[in-house]
Amino acid sequence: GAGVSQSPSNKVTEKGKDVELRCDPISGHTALYWYRQRLGQGLEFLIYFQGNSAPDKSGLPSDRFSAERTGESVSTLTIQRTQQEDSAVYLCASSLVPSYQGNTIYFGEGSWLTVV
Amino acid sequence: KQEVTQIPAALSVPEGENLVLNCSFTDSAIYNLQWFRQDPGKGLTSLLLIQSSQREQTSGRLNASLDKSSGRSTLYIAASQPGDSATYLCAPLGAGGTSYGKLTFGQGTILTVHP
């Protein structure tokens, strides 16, 4: 695709339910990142994929959060037993090679999650 | 742990002014630094990427400088326009420690350019 695509763009869920957020990176991009931005706050790193493996998942806030990537393409971020503090916009980004090799990182428009 | 501070937090100016947005970071072990803009309800758009070995990068009316040793980057916007109104974020890419391979973001500068 032309850019990083995320779905759903908006999700309202009840506390305690599970949610899945999807990210389609730019075709051919091997590196994929998930960030979270709570209202009025900065971006927090969640997890980084190189290919299908996750060398750095240190930012996942609890064991309710998990992510996977398949086919070196689509990634899914799953939040189990959602809580109100999970309300945020979840941003996905990708780059051609791992970003430490100096390539630009491109962001999607985010999935806005509201837990009521 | 990398910490990023952006000053000012907010800026409101009339159209046509030349602007300076400041970014400071605590850990100089970085591979590069990227400047982004974020429009309300939207994702981030990359503006400029400066490699750690570079001092400056330019794109149109935008110019970004980097002084890695002192932990500072500055974004200059020339002849500002209402369409420049957005939140501007800087993000160094960590090269060591717990920040390795991650972009760490500042809180951003909220820019409003009025006609």
Side-chain angles (χ1 to χ4, degrees):
Chain A
V4 178
S5 178
Q6 293 187 244
S7 62
S9 54
N10 283 284
K11 175 75 175 179
V12 179
T13 190
E14 291 181 355
K15 179 181 173 181
K17 295 281 179 72
D18 298 351
V19 295
E20 284 190 353
L21 307 177
R22 176 187 168 108
C23 173
D24 284 89
I26 294 172
S27 179
H29 280 196
T30 63
L32 186 147
Y33 305 81
W34 283 98
Y35 283 81
R36 176 172 75 174
Q37 187 175 29
R38 290 171 165 157
L39 188 64
Q41 297 189 19
L43 278 85
E44 304 170 67
F45 170 82
L46 297 179
I47 189 169
Y48 152 60
F49 287 93
Q50 175 54 38
N52 293 333
S53 63
D56 189 344
K57 53 180 78 172
S58 62
L60 294 178
S62 75
D63 59 8
R64 296 186 297 105
F65 287 72
S66 63
E68 65 173 15
R69 188 179 185 194
T70 57
E72 298 196 350
S73 180
V74 173
S75 177
T76 303
L77 177 68
T78 301
I79 310 172
Q80 296 178 310
R81 305 181 302 281
T82 53
Q83 301 178 7
Q84 288 184 330
E85 61 262 32
D86 299 335
S87 296
V89 58
Y90 290 82
L91 290 161
C92 178
S94 70
S95 67
L96 187 59
V97 292
S99 57
Y100 55 81
Q101 293 183 29
N103 280 279
T104 300
I105 296 177
Y106 297 91
F107 278 80
E109 296 203 347
S111 290
W112 294 75
L113 175 66
T114 303
V115 182
V116 297
Chain B
K1 179 186 173 186
Q2 180 75 275
E3 293 184 3
V4 180
T5 303
Q6 291 189 244
I7 295 173
L11 189 58
S12 180
V13 299
E15 183 176 7
E17 285 203 0
N18 298 326
L19 307 175
V20 178
L21 281 58
N22 296 293
C23 171
S24 61
F25 47 95
T26 56
D27 186 352
S28 62
I30 65 170
Y31 285 113
N32 57 56
L33 184 143
Q34 210 162 328
W35 281 92
F36 296 87
R37 70 175 277 168
Q38 186 174 30
D39 294 279
K42 301 287 188 181
L44 278 67
T45 302
S46 179
L47 298 173
L48 290 165
L49 183 148
I50 314 176
Q51 303 290 0
S52 61
S53 58
Q54 295 178 319
R55 301 282 292 186
E56 198 171 317
Q57 192 68 252
T58 298
S59 175
R61 293 182 296 107
L62 304 179
N63 174 277
S65 67
L66 174 65
D67 183 343
K68 193 181 94 160
S69 61
S70 66
R72 294 181 189 172
S73 179
T74 303
L75 180 67
Y76 301 90
I77 304 176
S80 57
Q81 303 171 358
D84 295 331
S85 298
T87 298
Y88 289 79
L89 298 161
C90 78
L93 180 67
T98 58
S99 300
Y100 180 81
K102 300 185 189 68
L103 287 175
T104 302
F105 286 86
Q107 295 287 332
T109 293
I110 302 171
L111 173 64
T112 305
V113 182
H114 45 88

